[in-house]
Amino acid sequence: MFAAGLRVSGSRPGPACPHRRSSSSHAAHRSATIQLGRPAAAAAQRRQRRQLSVRADAHQPPSTQQLPASLQKIVGAFQIVPDPMARYKQLLFYAAKLPAMKADDHVPDNKVEGCVSQVWVKPELREDGLVYWTADSDSQLTKGLAALLVLGLSGCTPQEILSVQPSFIELLGLKQSLTPSRNNGFLNMLLKMQRATLALAAAQAQ
Amino acid sequence: MQTAVAAPGAASLAAIAERVRAEVPVLDQRVHGRPLVYLDNAATSQKPLAVLEAMDRYYREYNSNVHRGVHFLSARATDEYEAARQKVARFVGAASDREIVFTRNASEAINLVAYSWGLNNLKPGDEIILSVAEHHSNLVPWQLIAQRTGAVLKHVGLTPQQELDMDHLRELVTPRTKLISLVHVSNTLGCVLDVPAVVEAARSVGARVLLDACQSVPHMPLDVQALGVDWVVASSHKMMGPTGIGFLWGRYDVLESMPPWMGGGEMIQDVFLDHSTYAAPPMRFEAGTPAIAEAIGLGAACDYLSAIGMDKVHALEEDIGTYLYEQLSAVEGVTIYGPRPSAPRGRAALSAFNVAGLHATDVSTLLDNAGVAVRSGHHCTQPLHRHLGINASARASCYVYTTRADVDAFVAALRETIEFFAEVGA
């Protein structure tokens, strides 16, 4: 599966962006991106690809990660729940909170390959330079995981999204496996989201 | 619940299950803080000490390559490896051990027939009959061969009771039919094939018959000669043996007519720089150093099951399988696929099912949390799931060590799971 193919060992990624950037730094970032010439854009793309490939190294200790504030908040909400069944319950509440995805968006392009259940995720890169997500699944628990990612990664910069390590899921205490596998719904979902982000960022850089 | 007639038998069968259970170390553990309830036997079975020790002994005492050296260890390894072949031959009632080809697994055994016999015998317009209920390993090799040869694939459908429809099979058979390759016991429906009807239909047009016996060889007495088919494939790991080995049984004259598929050491008679002559079956089809420890482990598994008696294994599974079916079907909202246990040929001790309104993966995730191991997904039968109009199902499957306590724990955890989702309003 593609997850295994992406796995690399060695270099660690650069520091993640832990907090919301100020609007002025967003503007600066956007204009810098726009000013990139083609060769520079290609170099940026290569750099981002390299970073994405490191994303799949799921075994970075979760505690060393700096997550986007929105995702950190969700992780915190899980960490105060004591037992596994209550955490599953919480996951289902997140599933219920997930805004409905348009029927037109349930298309192969948005589908996460390699899930036992059906999952769709769709990004939108808005004028503010931030990415916003919608998602859906026919499995409630998978929908809950999708909701965590949608709520935790909407309103983030592409760079923040690309910096998220799959290992953060361990902090939720859901016994979610991080082994790259054809049926690892969570891992394949996050990788799909990071690929889509990379594609959007690359398109913008053109 | 128990009838006066069934009770004494059931009690002695349960005693067998308890005894076997005590000899399978992996079953004795807690998962997520609860005692393990292992009901994923159709995917793979657990191994008794006898199998683990046989493999351990090989590596500790006489690890050596087979069919090569004259030294002591090599001779012993060769003896044990070939003894394993004899055990498998006896286990399935083969006319001779020369009819047993060791493969990596059942998939490789089907591929062997497809690439050796199929590529050399199928012509454009020839027909291969499969079914909608086949495992992917009995679909994909034939798709590849059909693309290469121009042969046509046809698929037997299901009866309303969700068994393979033999009337449909008879309609599909024509003088162009060259092969009928079907699943003996379905890993999803649990239905048992009407083999005599298949053989009769095949013989009427001179077609060959391959039987995918992965879910039957481990669970019932099988006599390949009495079945009247040409090839039978099965895998070791579903019958208490190790992974990495399976076998193909073929009638000797059929195997003899087949050219080699993979080339290498072991399978040759004489090698020259530009050509070679090949060994007789089964060696013709075993290129390279085989999985020696695994073959010996499979032989030990045959011994282990034979010591219990395959008639007893089958009786035990009929009993526990029926109990599973009854207990599971009493749970509100549950749909079980396949025929009822009272069907003329019965059904395997497995139940693939769905709970109304819940995804199979959600069900099995929470069951896992309660220490219950079941499979969820499409069980490598995607076309069958599509045929049934579902994306996935959960499956609980028993083996010789499954007890009523296992089934009770599973059904209790399932009820809790359903209540959990109902409470949350999912």
Side-chain angles (χ1 to χ4, degrees), chain B residues 368-394:
Chain B
D368 173 61
N369 199 56
V372 179
V374 299
R375 172 87 182 259
S376 79
H378 51 59
H379 323 310
C380 296
T381 57
Q382 259 184 339
L384 175 61
H385 279 73
R386 222 169 274 133
H387 187 84
L388 296 171
I390 52 177
N391 286 316
S393 60

PDB file of all heavy atoms in Angstrom, chain B residues 368-394:
ATOM      1  N   ASP B 368     -13.517  -6.209  19.694  1.00  0.00           N
ATOM      2  CA  ASP B 368     -12.089  -6.352  20.025  1.00  0.00           C
ATOM      3  C   ASP B 368     -11.797  -5.755  21.393  1.00  0.00           C
ATOM      4  O   ASP B 368     -11.042  -6.313  22.184  1.00  0.00           O
ATOM      5  CB  ASP B 368     -11.234  -5.673  18.954  1.00  0.00           C
ATOM      6  CG  ASP B 368      -9.761  -5.663  19.347  1.00  0.00           C
ATOM      7  OD1 ASP B 368      -9.196  -6.765  19.508  1.00  0.00           O
ATOM      8  OD2 ASP B 368      -9.187  -4.571  19.516  1.00  0.00           O
ATOM      9  N   ASN B 369     -12.425  -4.633  21.656  1.00  0.00           N
ATOM     10  CA  ASN B 369     -12.234  -3.978  22.941  1.00  0.00           C
ATOM     11  C   ASN B 369     -12.699  -4.873  24.090  1.00  0.00           C
ATOM     12  O   ASN B 369     -12.231  -4.741  25.220  1.00  0.00           O
ATOM     13  CB  ASN B 369     -13.001  -2.651  22.953  1.00  0.00           C
ATOM     14  CG  ASN B 369     -12.488  -1.733  24.020  1.00  0.00           C
ATOM     15  OD1 ASN B 369     -11.315  -1.419  24.064  1.00  0.00           O
ATOM     16  ND2 ASN B 369     -13.375  -1.332  24.926  1.00  0.00           N
ATOM     17  N   ALA B 370     -13.627  -5.794  23.771  1.00  0.00           N
ATOM     18  CA  ALA B 370     -14.109  -6.737  24.790  1.00  0.00           C
ATOM     19  C   ALA B 370     -13.342  -8.061  24.719  1.00  0.00           C
ATOM     20  O   ALA B 370     -13.763  -9.061  25.301  1.00  0.00           O
ATOM     21  CB  ALA B 370     -15.607  -6.971  24.593  1.00  0.00           C
ATOM     22  N   GLY B 371     -12.233  -8.081  23.976  1.00  0.00           N
ATOM     23  CA  GLY B 371     -11.404  -9.292  23.907  1.00  0.00           C
ATOM     24  C   GLY B 371     -11.862 -10.307  22.877  1.00  0.00           C
ATOM     25  O   GLY B 371     -11.346 -11.427  22.835  1.00  0.00           O
ATOM     26  N   VAL B 372     -12.855  -9.934  22.049  1.00  0.00           N
ATOM     27  CA  VAL B 372     -13.414 -10.879  21.074  1.00  0.00           C
ATOM     28  C   VAL B 372     -12.820 -10.596  19.692  1.00  0.00           C
ATOM     29  O   VAL B 372     -12.960  -9.487  19.169  1.00  0.00           O
ATOM     30  CB  VAL B 372     -14.950 -10.770  21.003  1.00  0.00           C
ATOM     31  CG1 VAL B 372     -15.511 -11.751  19.970  1.00  0.00           C
ATOM     32  CG2 VAL B 372     -15.566 -11.023  22.374  1.00  0.00           C
ATOM     33  N   ALA B 373     -12.169 -11.601  19.112  1.00  0.00           N
ATOM     34  CA  ALA B 373     -11.547 -11.433  17.790  1.00  0.00           C
ATOM     35  C   ALA B 373     -12.464 -11.991  16.712  1.00  0.00           C
ATOM     36  O   ALA B 373     -12.700 -13.203  16.647  1.00  0.00           O
ATOM     37  CB  ALA B 373     -10.208 -12.151  17.750  1.00  0.00           C
ATOM     38  N   VAL B 374     -13.040 -11.104  15.912  1.00  0.00           N
ATOM     39  CA  VAL B 374     -13.791 -11.531  14.730  1.00  0.00           C
ATOM     40  C   VAL B 374     -13.236 -10.761  13.533  1.00  0.00           C
ATOM     41  O   VAL B 374     -12.553  -9.752  13.695  1.00  0.00           O
ATOM     42  CB  VAL B 374     -15.318 -11.275  14.832  1.00  0.00           C
ATOM     43  CG1 VAL B 374     -15.919 -12.025  15.997  1.00  0.00           C
ATOM     44  CG2 VAL B 374     -15.620  -9.776  14.927  1.00  0.00           C
ATOM     45  N   ARG B 375     -13.545 -11.224  12.351  1.00  0.00           N
ATOM     46  CA  ARG B 375     -13.078 -10.547  11.152  1.00  0.00           C
ATOM     47  C   ARG B 375     -14.127  -9.531  10.736  1.00  0.00           C
ATOM     48  O   ARG B 375     -15.317  -9.754  10.913  1.00  0.00           O
ATOM     49  CB  ARG B 375     -12.888 -11.596  10.048  1.00  0.00           C
ATOM     50  CG  ARG B 375     -12.571 -11.069   8.659  1.00  0.00           C
ATOM     51  CD  ARG B 375     -11.092 -10.856   8.452  1.00  0.00           C
ATOM     52  NE  ARG B 375     -10.844 -10.293   7.121  1.00  0.00           N
ATOM     53  CZ  ARG B 375     -10.431 -10.985   6.077  1.00  0.00           C
ATOM     54  NH1 ARG B 375     -10.248 -12.282   6.189  1.00  0.00           N
ATOM     55  NH2 ARG B 375     -10.210 -10.388   4.918  1.00  0.00           N
ATOM     56  N   SER B 376     -13.682  -8.421  10.155  1.00  0.00           N
ATOM     57  CA  SER B 376     -14.656  -7.548   9.493  1.00  0.00           C
ATOM     58  C   SER B 376     -14.076  -7.093   8.168  1.00  0.00           C
ATOM     59  O   SER B 376     -12.864  -7.034   7.997  1.00  0.00           O
ATOM     60  CB  SER B 376     -14.993  -6.340  10.354  1.00  0.00           C
ATOM     61  OG  SER B 376     -13.975  -5.372  10.256  1.00  0.00           O
ATOM     62  N   GLY B 377     -14.951  -6.846   7.215  1.00  0.00           N
ATOM     63  CA  GLY B 377     -14.501  -6.428   5.898  1.00  0.00           C
ATOM     64  C   GLY B 377     -15.201  -7.243   4.837  1.00  0.00           C
ATOM     65  O   GLY B 377     -16.371  -7.616   5.021  1.00  0.00           O
ATOM     66  N   HIS B 378     -14.478  -7.545   3.759  1.00  0.00           N
ATOM     67  CA  HIS B 378     -15.131  -8.306   2.686  1.00  0.00           C
ATOM     68  C   HIS B 378     -14.624  -9.740   2.600  1.00  0.00           C
ATOM     69  O   HIS B 378     -15.024 -10.492   1.740  1.00  0.00           O
ATOM     70  CB  HIS B 378     -14.998  -7.583   1.352  1.00  0.00           C
ATOM     71  CG  HIS B 378     -13.592  -7.168   1.016  1.00  0.00           C
ATOM     72  ND1 HIS B 378     -12.575  -8.075   0.908  1.00  0.00           N
ATOM     73  CD2 HIS B 378     -13.052  -5.952   0.782  1.00  0.00           C
ATOM     74  CE1 HIS B 378     -11.450  -7.428   0.604  1.00  0.00           C
ATOM     75  NE2 HIS B 378     -11.706  -6.137   0.545  1.00  0.00           N
ATOM     76  N   HIS B 379     -13.733 -10.127   3.518  1.00  0.00           N
ATOM     77  CA  HIS B 379     -13.245 -11.505   3.605  1.00  0.00           C
ATOM     78  C   HIS B 379     -12.719 -12.022   2.265  1.00  0.00           C
ATOM     79  O   HIS B 379     -12.863 -13.217   1.951  1.00  0.00           O
ATOM     80  CB  HIS B 379     -14.335 -12.454   4.133  1.00  0.00           C
ATOM     81  CG  HIS B 379     -15.205 -11.848   5.190  1.00  0.00           C
ATOM     82  ND1 HIS B 379     -14.679 -11.211   6.293  1.00  0.00           N
ATOM     83  CD2 HIS B 379     -16.544 -11.737   5.299  1.00  0.00           C
ATOM     84  CE1 HIS B 379     -15.667 -10.760   7.043  1.00  0.00           C
ATOM     85  NE2 HIS B 379     -16.805 -11.050   6.460  1.00  0.00           N
ATOM     86  N   CYS B 380     -12.136 -11.136   1.476  1.00  0.00           N
ATOM     87  CA  CYS B 380     -11.619 -11.524   0.152  1.00  0.00           C
ATOM     88  C   CYS B 380     -12.715 -12.102  -0.742  1.00  0.00           C
ATOM     89  O   CYS B 380     -12.444 -12.938  -1.606  1.00  0.00           O
ATOM     90  CB  CYS B 380     -10.454 -12.500   0.256  1.00  0.00           C
ATOM     91  SG  CYS B 380      -9.013 -11.786   1.056  1.00  0.00           S
ATOM     92  N   THR B 381     -13.951 -11.690  -0.501  1.00  0.00           N
ATOM     93  CA  THR B 381     -15.040 -12.058  -1.408  1.00  0.00           C
ATOM     94  C   THR B 381     -15.808 -10.790  -1.761  1.00  0.00           C
ATOM     95  O   THR B 381     -17.014 -10.688  -1.511  1.00  0.00           O
ATOM     96  CB  THR B 381     -16.006 -13.100  -0.789  1.00  0.00           C
ATOM     97  OG1 THR B 381     -16.531 -12.561   0.440  1.00  0.00           O
ATOM     98  CG2 THR B 381     -15.309 -14.415  -0.497  1.00  0.00           C
ATOM     99  N   GLN B 382     -15.109  -9.831  -2.357  1.00  0.00           N
ATOM    100  CA  GLN B 382     -15.758  -8.562  -2.733  1.00  0.00           C
ATOM    101  C   GLN B 382     -16.937  -8.776  -3.677  1.00  0.00           C
ATOM    102  O   GLN B 382     -18.001  -8.204  -3.454  1.00  0.00           O
ATOM    103  CB  GLN B 382     -14.737  -7.629  -3.367  1.00  0.00           C
ATOM    104  CG  GLN B 382     -14.250  -6.577  -2.413  1.00  0.00           C
ATOM    105  CD  GLN B 382     -13.304  -5.585  -3.075  1.00  0.00           C
ATOM    106  OE1 GLN B 382     -12.712  -5.865  -4.103  1.00  0.00           O
ATOM    107  NE2 GLN B 382     -13.161  -4.434  -2.470  1.00  0.00           N
ATOM    108  N   PRO B 383     -16.769  -9.580  -4.752  1.00  0.00           N
ATOM    109  CA  PRO B 383     -17.922  -9.748  -5.666  1.00  0.00           C
ATOM    110  C   PRO B 383     -19.141 -10.333  -4.949  1.00  0.00           C
ATOM    111  O   PRO B 383     -20.275  -9.956  -5.254  1.00  0.00           O
ATOM    112  CB  PRO B 383     -17.387 -10.703  -6.733  1.00  0.00           C
ATOM    113  CG  PRO B 383     -15.912 -10.465  -6.742  1.00  0.00           C
ATOM    114  CD  PRO B 383     -15.558 -10.216  -5.293  1.00  0.00           C
ATOM    115  N   LEU B 384     -18.907 -11.237  -3.998  1.00  0.00           N
ATOM    116  CA  LEU B 384     -20.043 -11.810  -3.264  1.00  0.00           C
ATOM    117  C   LEU B 384     -20.739 -10.735  -2.435  1.00  0.00           C
ATOM    118  O   LEU B 384     -21.971 -10.663  -2.392  1.00  0.00           O
ATOM    119  CB  LEU B 384     -19.561 -12.953  -2.353  1.00  0.00           C
ATOM    120  CG  LEU B 384     -20.629 -13.554  -1.435  1.00  0.00           C
ATOM    121  CD1 LEU B 384     -21.771 -14.160  -2.244  1.00  0.00           C
ATOM    122  CD2 LEU B 384     -20.034 -14.612  -0.508  1.00  0.00           C
ATOM    123  N   HIS B 385     -19.951  -9.894  -1.772  1.00  0.00           N
ATOM    124  CA  HIS B 385     -20.560  -8.819  -0.981  1.00  0.00           C
ATOM    125  C   HIS B 385     -21.362  -7.887  -1.880  1.00  0.00           C
ATOM    126  O   HIS B 385     -22.458  -7.462  -1.524  1.00  0.00           O
ATOM    127  CB  HIS B 385     -19.487  -8.059  -0.194  1.00  0.00           C
ATOM    128  CG  HIS B 385     -19.099  -8.771   1.081  1.00  0.00           C
ATOM    129  ND1 HIS B 385     -18.337  -9.909   1.084  1.00  0.00           N
ATOM    130  CD2 HIS B 385     -19.416  -8.512   2.371  1.00  0.00           C
ATOM    131  CE1 HIS B 385     -18.193 -10.319   2.338  1.00  0.00           C
ATOM    132  NE2 HIS B 385     -18.832  -9.491   3.137  1.00  0.00           N
ATOM    133  N   ARG B 386     -20.799  -7.592  -3.050  1.00  0.00           N
ATOM    134  CA  ARG B 386     -21.537  -6.757  -4.018  1.00  0.00           C
ATOM    135  C   ARG B 386     -22.833  -7.461  -4.427  1.00  0.00           C
ATOM    136  O   ARG B 386     -23.879  -6.840  -4.494  1.00  0.00           O
ATOM    137  CB  ARG B 386     -20.642  -6.530  -5.238  1.00  0.00           C
ATOM    138  CG  ARG B 386     -20.681  -5.105  -5.756  1.00  0.00           C
ATOM    139  CD  ARG B 386     -19.577  -4.880  -6.771  1.00  0.00           C
ATOM    140  NE  ARG B 386     -18.319  -4.512  -6.143  1.00  0.00           N
ATOM    141  CZ  ARG B 386     -17.134  -5.053  -6.447  1.00  0.00           C
ATOM    142  NH1 ARG B 386     -17.031  -5.991  -7.377  1.00  0.00           N
ATOM    143  NH2 ARG B 386     -16.053  -4.643  -5.836  1.00  0.00           N
ATOM    144  N   HIS B 387     -22.725  -8.768  -4.659  1.00  0.00           N
ATOM    145  CA  HIS B 387     -23.893  -9.566  -5.048  1.00  0.00           C
ATOM    146  C   HIS B 387     -24.968  -9.516  -3.948  1.00  0.00           C
ATOM    147  O   HIS B 387     -26.162  -9.475  -4.226  1.00  0.00           O
ATOM    148  CB  HIS B 387     -23.453 -11.011  -5.296  1.00  0.00           C
ATOM    149  CG  HIS B 387     -24.509 -11.913  -5.851  1.00  0.00           C
ATOM    150  ND1 HIS B 387     -24.787 -11.986  -7.203  1.00  0.00           N
ATOM    151  CD2 HIS B 387     -25.368 -12.765  -5.245  1.00  0.00           C
ATOM    152  CE1 HIS B 387     -25.773 -12.853  -7.396  1.00  0.00           C
ATOM    153  NE2 HIS B 387     -26.144 -13.341  -6.219  1.00  0.00           N
ATOM    154  N   LEU B 388     -24.520  -9.525  -2.691  1.00  0.00           N
ATOM    155  CA  LEU B 388     -25.467  -9.483  -1.564  1.00  0.00           C
ATOM    156  C   LEU B 388     -25.944  -8.052  -1.285  1.00  0.00           C
ATOM    157  O   LEU B 388     -26.793  -7.842  -0.420  1.00  0.00           O
ATOM    158  CB  LEU B 388     -24.798 -10.050  -0.298  1.00  0.00           C
ATOM    159  CG  LEU B 388     -24.395 -11.534  -0.328  1.00  0.00           C
ATOM    160  CD1 LEU B 388     -23.554 -11.884   0.905  1.00  0.00           C
ATOM    161  CD2 LEU B 388     -25.629 -12.439  -0.403  1.00  0.00           C
ATOM    162  N   GLY B 389     -25.346  -7.079  -1.979  1.00  0.00           N
ATOM    163  CA  GLY B 389     -25.756  -5.685  -1.807  1.00  0.00           C
ATOM    164  C   GLY B 389     -25.217  -5.049  -0.540  1.00  0.00           C
ATOM    165  O   GLY B 389     -25.834  -4.153   0.037  1.00  0.00           O
ATOM    166  N   ILE B 390     -24.053  -5.516  -0.072  1.00  0.00           N
ATOM    167  CA  ILE B 390     -23.451  -4.950   1.138  1.00  0.00           C
ATOM    168  C   ILE B 390     -21.984  -4.612   0.859  1.00  0.00           C
ATOM    169  O   ILE B 390     -21.384  -5.151  -0.069  1.00  0.00           O
ATOM    170  CB  ILE B 390     -23.535  -5.931   2.342  1.00  0.00           C
ATOM    171  CG1 ILE B 390     -22.960  -7.308   1.955  1.00  0.00           C
ATOM    172  CG2 ILE B 390     -24.972  -6.064   2.818  1.00  0.00           C
ATOM    173  CD1 ILE B 390     -22.938  -8.321   3.082  1.00  0.00           C
ATOM    174  N   ASN B 391     -21.430  -3.693   1.656  1.00  0.00           N
ATOM    175  CA  ASN B 391     -20.027  -3.322   1.485  1.00  0.00           C
ATOM    176  C   ASN B 391     -19.105  -4.198   2.322  1.00  0.00           C
ATOM    177  O   ASN B 391     -17.951  -4.406   1.978  1.00  0.00           O
ATOM    178  CB  ASN B 391     -19.804  -1.868   1.915  1.00  0.00           C
ATOM    179  CG  ASN B 391     -20.353  -0.908   0.887  1.00  0.00           C
ATOM    180  OD1 ASN B 391     -20.169  -1.093  -0.312  1.00  0.00           O
ATOM    181  ND2 ASN B 391     -21.053   0.109   1.354  1.00  0.00           N
ATOM    182  N   ALA B 392     -19.621  -4.639   3.427  1.00  0.00           N
ATOM    183  CA  ALA B 392     -18.773  -5.380   4.360  1.00  0.00           C
ATOM    184  C   ALA B 392     -19.656  -6.242   5.258  1.00  0.00           C
ATOM    185  O   ALA B 392     -20.876  -6.060   5.303  1.00  0.00           O
ATOM    186  CB  ALA B 392     -17.967  -4.405   5.216  1.00  0.00           C
ATOM    187  N   SER B 393     -19.030  -7.175   5.957  1.00  0.00           N
ATOM    188  CA  SER B 393     -19.743  -7.928   6.982  1.00  0.00           C
ATOM    189  C   SER B 393     -18.744  -8.278   8.082  1.00  0.00           C
ATOM    190  O   SER B 393     -17.534  -8.187   7.877  1.00  0.00           O
ATOM    191  CB  SER B 393     -20.371  -9.198   6.387  1.00  0.00           C
ATOM    192  OG  SER B 393     -19.384 -10.047   5.836  1.00  0.00           O
ATOM    193  N   ALA B 394     -19.271  -8.641   9.231  1.00  0.00           N
ATOM    194  CA  ALA B 394     -18.425  -9.166  10.298  1.00  0.00           C
ATOM    195  C   ALA B 394     -18.557 -10.682  10.235  1.00  0.00           C
ATOM    196  O   ALA B 394     -19.560 -11.193   9.717  1.00  0.00           O
ATOM    197  CB  ALA B 394     -18.874  -8.638  11.653  1.00  0.00           C
TER     198      ALA B 394
END
